[in-house]
Amino acid sequence: QLQLVESGGGLVQPGGSLRLSCVHSGVTSDSVTIGWFRQVPGKGREGLSCLSSGDGTTNYVNSPSGRFTISKDGAKNTVYLQMPSLEPEDTATYYCAAMNPPLPPGRICTFHPEKYNSWGQGTQVTVSS
């Protein structure tokens, strides 16, 4: 069973940066489709970045309205979200999520949370002085 565990959240001052990590386990291939989302109380989940890898290639998609960048370390089964220049409006719970099974090689991931069927527990990011 695919499992996801996020880490790296915390309290940061405006202008600071964080790197979130998402360790995935329970899959036997190197093909993954993973996205980063965030949510504030009372609102739906907002897609930030996603990637889809398979057959030695990886496609990355970053939200055009966002400032965050997704990356991965296949050897560590870890997907990262680099978040520079954080603002108070970035305060939220951040989740990584996976499509299981992943998209076929070459397919581009999307930011529709309903397409993802495995979710981590979330990590809180608070941006405040």
Side-chain angles (χ1 to χ4, degrees):
Q1 183 177 355
L2 177 63
Q3 293 184 327
L4 306 165
V5 179
E6 304 100 331
S7 63
L11 174 64
V12 62
Q13 292 186 342
S17 63
L18 286 174
R19 189 180 73 165
L20 305 183
S21 300
C22 172
V23 178
H24 54 91
S25 61
V27 294
T28 57
S29 76
D30 61 356
S31 296
V32 291
T33 302
I34 290 180
W36 281 101
F37 298 81
R38 69 183 180 185
Q39 187 172 27
V40 297
K43 293 189 177 181
R45 292 183 176 177
E46 175 189 6
L48 301 171
S49 294
C50 64
L51 64 82
S52 184
S53 67
D55 285 352
T57 64
T58 302
N59 294 304
Y60 299 89
V61 180
N62 295 306
S63 170
S65 62
R67 296 167 280 106
F68 306 149
T69 304
I70 194 170
S71 63
K72 74 179 184 73
D73 184 335
K76 296 181 179 180
N77 289 340
T78 301
V79 175
Y80 302 100
L81 184 69
Q82 188 68 44
M83 305 192 298
S85 304
L86 287 165
E87 304 167 353
E89 294 72 24
D90 296 316
T91 295
T93 302
Y94 286 71
Y95 299 90
C96 67
M99 294 186 191
N100 190 24
L103 292 172
R107 289 281 300 274
I108 305 300
C109 53
T110 70
F111 294 143
H112 299 293
E114 66 273 14
K115 301 292 187 182
Y116 295 78
N117 53 5
S118 294
W119 290 80
Q121 82 286 354
T123 186
Q124 178 67 35
V125 171
T126 302
V127 185
S128 175
S129 56

